[in-house]
């Protein structure tokens, strides 16, 4: 009897402990409120009765902890820096009424971040004259080596992200313009990055502007999912622009365990919609494989829709298992350009054309569906064949020009 009562007592304490922990976890997740119309810029709680005035204030207060949601009222807000883990930052009125006129920096320590996250809870994020000197709207990582420890589980969704030419030091002129301005710039090791259901737009011929850019070889991306976004570039009367969509030139941009998926997006009026690899000698994809799925996207009136460049032989990089399937390519100059060369006596790019799978796509009224003229085995002019079966070419002429 004593043993039975002791067992019941232990079980009771165990249940109380579990319930207590669950309660503590539940009550620790709090909504912090932000309203730019509030008169109090010193709130330490960001409650419904005592709202914070800025998003940065809501992040910085001691009361904000992992699991909290920062709910932002309609209005106009400035730049902020996320340096806490497991936060959800949302608007209460959606991107049509809630504007961030500035840049957002996401520290590598800010794991499990949601920005937007659901329909009607995103922001309009755009550059302004107050952004002079910055080259991004959203930057993941601070771009210093000490911050290169991997961040993980970042979701950016349901936002309107606009690069506006003519401000923030962007020069509208052609030719000598070398300014780079990117919507999302990745400067840290990242695992499980989701960018979905956003509208990316470019206003004006800003040189080298990109929507999602990772162009530094010291960082890795594992598990990138870009889906259901719209990318709208700028075209002048000459059908010429500098804008780019997704540019991935970093180390280990994907792996078999953490593939890169670019799926169900729309790309229109962009100079280079998707760029994989690097055209510079001694930089680009390093130390590993690629594993890309480019599937079910719509590419309309771009200069180049998908461009495959070099890997980096200096570090034994390779590009392989690139699957381009179920896409619609309409009225592009080049639908797919494989712009990587094998050389003898020089350098080798380690791009194996047999690892390409280009199938079940629709090619309609493009100047050239697939340009494979740069994929050479050596300087003798021998070209590799790329597997491109079971596609609709829009004409009986085949794959050369549509």
């Amino acid at each position: 009897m004593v043993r039975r009562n002791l067992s019941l007592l232990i079980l009771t304490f165990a249940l109380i402990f579990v319930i207590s922990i669950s309660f503590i976890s539940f009550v620790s997740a709090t909504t912090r409120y932000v309203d730019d119309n509030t008169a109090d810029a010193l709130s330490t709680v960001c409650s419904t009765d005592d709202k914070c005035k800025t998003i940065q204030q809501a992040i910085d207060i001691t009361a904000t902890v992992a699991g909290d949601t920062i709910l932002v009222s309609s209005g106009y807000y400035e730049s902020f820096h996320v340096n806490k883990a497991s936060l959800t930052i949302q608007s209460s009125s959606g991107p049509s009424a809630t504007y961030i006129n500035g840049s957002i920096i996401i520290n590598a320590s800010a794991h499990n971040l949601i920005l937007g996250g659901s329909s009607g809870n995103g922001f309009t994020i755009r550059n302004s004259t107050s952004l002079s000197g910055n080259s991004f709207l959203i930057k993941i990582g601070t771009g210093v080596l000490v911050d290169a420890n991997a961040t993980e589980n970042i979701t950016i969704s349901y936002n309107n992200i606009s690069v506006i030419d003519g401000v923030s030091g962007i020069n509208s002129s052609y030719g000598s313009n070398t300014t780079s301005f990117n919507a999302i710039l990745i400067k840290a090791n990242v695992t499980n990055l989701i960018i979905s259901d956003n509208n990316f737009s470019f206003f004006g011929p800003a040189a080298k502007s990109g929507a999602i850019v990772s162009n530094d070889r010291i960082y890795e991306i594992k598990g990138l999912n870009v889906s259901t976004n719209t990318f709208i570039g700028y075209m002048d009367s000459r059908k010429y622009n500098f804008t780019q969509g997704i540019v991935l030139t970093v180390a280990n941009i994907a792996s078999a365990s953490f593939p890169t998926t670019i799926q169900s997006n729309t790309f229109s009026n962009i100079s280079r919609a998707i760029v994989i690899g690097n055209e510079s000698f001694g930089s680009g994809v390093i130390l590993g494989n690629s594993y890309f799925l480019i599937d079910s996207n719509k590419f309309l009136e771009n200069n180049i829709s998908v461009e495959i460049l070099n890997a980096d032989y200096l570090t034994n990089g390779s590009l392989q298992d690139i699957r381009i399937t179920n896409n619609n390519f309409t009225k592009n100059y080049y639908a797919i350009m494989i712009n990587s060369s094998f050389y003898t006596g020089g350098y080798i790019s380690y791009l194996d054309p047999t690892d390409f799978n280009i199938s079940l796509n629709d090619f309609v009224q493009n100047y050239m569906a697939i340009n494979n003229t740069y994929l050479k085995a050596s300087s003798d002019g021998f070209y590799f064949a790329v597997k491109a079966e079971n596609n609709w070419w829009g004409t009986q002429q085949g794959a050369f020009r549509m």
Side-chain angles (χ1 to χ4, degrees):
M1 179 66 71
V2 173
R3 181 175 296 176
R4 180 181 179 186
N5 289 339
L6 180 61
S7 298
L8 288 173
L9 182 62
I10 292 172
L11 179 60
T12 301
F13 277 118
L15 288 172
I16 292 172
F17 177 77
V18 171
I19 292 170
S20 298
I21 292 297
S22 299
F23 178 74
I24 291 170
S25 298
F26 175 76
V27 297
S28 67
T30 304
T31 299
R32 310 291 174 185
Y33 295 88
V34 178
D35 190 337
D36 68 338
N37 289 318
T38 185
D40 183 10
L42 300 175
S43 174
T44 59
V45 291
C46 300
S47 64
T48 53
D49 298 324
D50 189 14
K51 296 179 180 179
C52 285
K53 189 173 182 64
T54 68
I55 298 172
Q56 191 65 65
Q57 180 187 359
I59 293 169
D60 289 345
I61 61 172
T62 304
T64 298
V65 295
D68 283 3
T69 295
I70 297 174
L71 190 62
V72 183
S73 297
S74 59
Y76 295 85
Y77 300 88
E78 297 301 324
S79 303
F80 60 89
H81 191 156
V82 185
N83 54 11
K84 293 181 179 179
S86 301
L87 297 181
T88 297
I89 302 175
Q90 297 182 321
S91 71
S92 58
S93 300
S96 63
T98 317
Y99 297 85
I100 298 172
N101 293 327
S103 58
I104 301 169
I105 297 177
I106 301 170
N107 269 25
S109 59
H111 308 298
N112 308 315
L113 172 70
I114 297 174
L115 180 64
S118 56
S119 180
N121 293 120
F123 300 88
T124 289
I125 305 166
R126 60 190 184 182
N127 52 325
S128 67
T129 53
S130 64
L131 258 180
S132 181
N134 283 350
S135 60
F136 56 88
L137 291 177
I138 300 172
K139 183 166 73 170
I140 301 172
T142 59
V144 295
L145 289 176
V146 71
D147 201 25
N149 293 325
T151 188
E152 60 184 5
N153 303 328
I154 305 296
T155 298
I156 301 170
S157 58
Y158 293 95
N159 303 286
N160 293 337
I161 304 175
S162 300
V163 174
I164 306 171
D165 192 23
V167 300
S168 305
I170 296 177
N171 184 349
S172 295
S173 64
Y174 292 96
S176 62
N177 186 8
T178 58
T179 302
S180 295
F181 196 96
N182 303 304
I184 298 178
L185 181 62
I186 302 170
K187 288 289 185 179
N189 298 330
V190 184
T191 300
N192 295 330
L193 172 59
I194 298 173
I195 301 172
S196 67
D197 299 282
N198 301 286
N199 295 313
F200 292 88
S201 56
F202 299 85
F203 298 95
K208 296 185 178 179
S209 292
I212 302 168
V213 176
S214 185
N215 58 0
D216 198 322
R217 59 185 294 182
I218 65 175
Y219 302 120
E220 298 178 345
I221 302 176
K222 296 180 179 180
L224 172 63
N225 187 312
V226 181
S227 60
T228 330
N229 301 281
T230 299
F231 300 85
I232 304 296
Y234 170 88
M235 285 281 192
D236 71 353
S237 59
R238 294 175 291 177
K239 293 293 182 183
Y240 188 73
N241 71 60
F242 295 92
T243 57
Q244 301 180 98
I246 302 170
V247 181
L248 300 173
T249 64
V250 299
N252 286 339
I253 40 186
S255 69
S257 300
F258 298 97
T260 290
T261 300
I262 302 173
Q263 192 168 43
S264 301
N265 303 282
T266 298
F267 300 86
S268 179
N269 289 333
I270 297 176
S271 179
R272 302 159 86 192
I274 298 174
V275 182
I276 300 169
N278 197 291
E279 55 200 339
S280 300
F281 177 75
S283 62
V285 184
I286 66 174
L287 296 177
N289 306 314
S290 51
Y291 301 99
F292 279 90
L293 174 63
I294 301 173
D295 180 75
S296 300
N297 301 283
K298 295 180 180 179
F299 298 94
L300 176 64
E301 296 186 334
N302 304 298
N303 286 337
I304 303 173
S305 287
V306 178
E307 186 171 11
I308 311 296
L309 298 172
N310 296 320
D312 185 0
Y313 94 100
L314 292 177
T315 46
N316 196 31
S318 64
L319 285 170
Q320 60 182 282
D321 195 12
I322 299 176
R323 288 158 289 162
I324 303 174
T325 58
N326 299 298
N327 302 283
N328 181 284
F329 298 91
T330 300
K331 296 183 178 179
N332 304 280
Y333 194 79
Y334 293 116
I336 299 172
M337 174 177 280
I338 302 172
N339 195 6
S340 181
S341 301
F342 285 64
Y343 292 89
T344 57
Y347 67 90
I348 304 174
S349 69
Y350 289 96
L351 194 157
D352 186 348
T354 61
D355 285 324
F356 284 77
N357 180 11
I358 303 173
S359 63
L360 304 177
N361 301 285
D362 290 338
F363 295 92
V364 181
Q365 296 181 345
N366 302 284
Y367 172 78
M368 188 176 291
I370 300 176
N371 184 344
N372 188 26
T373 57
Y374 291 95
L375 189 56
K376 297 180 181 179
S378 63
S379 59
D380 63 4
F382 175 75
Y383 297 104
F384 277 110
V386 173
K387 183 179 179 180
E389 299 175 343
N390 300 315
N391 297 285
W392 166 247
W393 302 108
T395 172
Q396 292 182 348
Q397 288 179 299
F400 180 64
R401 284 186 179 174
M402 274 90 332

